[in-house]
Amino acid sequence: MQVQGRIWIKEQEKNFLGHGKIELLERIAKSGSISKAAKEMHMSYKAAWDSIDLMNKVSSKPLVIRTTGGKGGGNTQVTPKGMEAIRIFRQMEKIQEELFALFEGDLALWDSMLDGSKLTNLRRLMMKTSARNQLFGEVIEIKKGAVNAEVILKINNNLEITSIITLESLKELNLKVGSSAYALIKSNWMIVFKEEPKGISMRNCIGGKITEIKDGAVNCEIIIQKDSTKLCAIITEDSKQDLALKVGQKAWFCFKANHVILGI
């Protein structure tokens, strides 16, 4: 038995993004031409343009723009907002496929599934965690040792996270290059630096702009942002004073690879 379905994202009661529209954006990004993308998808130019026009009107920023003039006579471009929409939608589809795979099997197995491992796996997918830092990415490299494995998770084009887990955990999670996973890092595992540290043993060191500081009686919460990724650290008020941390400054959050918990 197979479980199938499609994702539709609606905005203002209109179908904003779906599999077909994402494919159209991908083909435009590759060819730089609406007409070529429409021809490849066996659809009319008007239908392709109407889809683009709807997406642009619904989105806060255009997903596709057209340029005119120049040596080549102008072309069509998918904007950074459009490329981000493609990336997020494809990630959603991948998660959906993994979810549907939990239910696939013979009909005779469905009764046992109610108390079986597949339902347990489903609960795990829906679990919540107390870790303040939860980063979703793709496994791009795995280095196996005698006992542990080093797993590198690509969060985005400018951010990678290194985790060290046991070989047993690697097997249980069934992690492979190309797998999707979450990196969980507790905020009190972060070491905060005012200047970029040199010669430290911690594998992960991320620099960003301080966007928020929440003071407490003893500890304070520091939030930095690197591109679209936010990270949280908990340090003492004394440490904050010693570092003279302020909103708008650059800071570096560093943490050990064995403090990164991987989840699927």
Side-chain angles (χ1 to χ4, degrees):
M1 182 180 64
Q2 293 182 331
V3 181
Q4 298 180 342
R6 285 285 177 91
I7 297 174
W8 280 101
I9 299 177
K10 291 198 170 190
E11 182 71 26
Q12 302 174 15
E13 299 301 320
K14 297 178 180 179
N15 288 333
F16 174 38
L17 290 175
H19 180 85
K21 290 182 178 179
I22 290 297
E23 183 180 349
L24 178 61
L25 290 177
E26 288 174 330
R27 291 182 183 274
I28 292 172
K30 183 178 180 180
S31 66
S33 167
I34 297 175
S35 58
K36 186 174 181 179
K39 186 176 180 181
E40 291 173 346
M41 295 182 66
H42 305 287
M43 63 190 303
S44 68
Y45 178 88
K46 183 180 186 303
W49 173 247
D50 286 345
S51 291
I52 294 167
D53 188 47
L54 175 62
M55 288 187 284
N56 281 347
K57 286 179 178 178
V58 172
S59 176
S60 58
K61 294 180 180 179
L63 304 187
V64 177
I65 58 173
R66 301 176 70 181
T67 60
T68 57
K71 185 177 180 181
N75 63 359
T76 304
Q77 297 177 349
V78 177
T79 66
K81 178 79 172 179
M83 297 303 295
E84 182 71 3
I86 293 171
R87 183 185 68 81
I88 292 174
F89 192 89
R90 290 307 187 196
Q91 285 182 347
M92 291 173 64
E93 284 189 323
K94 194 169 185 179
I95 293 171
Q96 183 193 41
E97 289 173 2
E98 292 172 354
L99 180 62
F100 285 170
L102 295 176
F103 292 104
E104 290 185 354
D106 297 331
L107 285 173
L109 297 177
W110 273 72
D111 286 339
S112 61
M113 189 186 297
L114 293 176
D115 296 313
S117 61
K118 290 190 176 181
L119 188 59
T120 300
N121 288 336
L122 178 58
R123 290 196 183 104
R124 287 175 181 169
L125 283 174
M126 296 179 175
M127 74 176 182
K128 293 184 178 180
T129 172
S130 63
R132 290 295 309 278
N133 301 291
Q134 304 176 31
L135 308 177
F136 182 77
E138 178 184 346
V139 176
I140 60 172
E141 188 176 355
I142 297 175
K143 298 178 182 177
K144 294 182 181 179
V147 178
N148 296 326
E150 180 182 284
V151 180
I152 299 178
L153 198 66
K154 184 177 180 180
I155 308 303
N156 55 48
N157 290 334
N158 298 316
L159 181 57
E160 295 178 2
I161 300 291
T162 301
S163 174
I164 293 179
I165 61 177
T166 65
L167 293 178
E168 183 179 355
S169 295
L170 183 70
K171 182 178 179 181
E172 289 180 352
L173 294 172
N174 194 28
L175 289 177
K176 299 178 177 65
V177 172
S179 298
S180 297
Y182 283 92
L184 310 177
I185 313 108
K186 298 181 73 171
S187 55
N188 57 357
W189 286 343
M190 300 283 190
I191 308 298
V192 180
F193 294 87
K194 188 175 181 179
E195 297 180 355
E196 185 175 6
K198 304 292 184 180
I200 61 174
S201 61
M202 286 177 282
R203 295 294 305 276
N204 300 289
C205 196
I206 301 170
K209 181 180 179 181
I210 298 176
T211 59
E212 189 176 357
I213 298 177
K214 297 180 181 179
D215 291 311
V218 178
N219 296 324
C220 68
E221 183 178 277
I222 310 293
I223 308 292
I224 65 168
Q225 182 162 346
K226 177 181 174 64
D227 299 327
S228 60
T229 302
K230 289 187 177 182
L231 291 170
C232 172
I234 298 292
I235 62 174
T236 65
E237 285 285 346
D238 288 341
S239 295
K240 186 198 76 172
Q241 296 296 333
D242 291 341
L243 293 170
L245 298 176
K246 297 179 181 179
V247 172
Q249 289 181 335
K250 189 81 178 283
W252 282 260
F253 286 7
C254 300
F255 47 97
K256 296 180 179 179
N258 57 6
H259 280 172
V260 179
I261 300 170
L262 295 183
I264 59 173

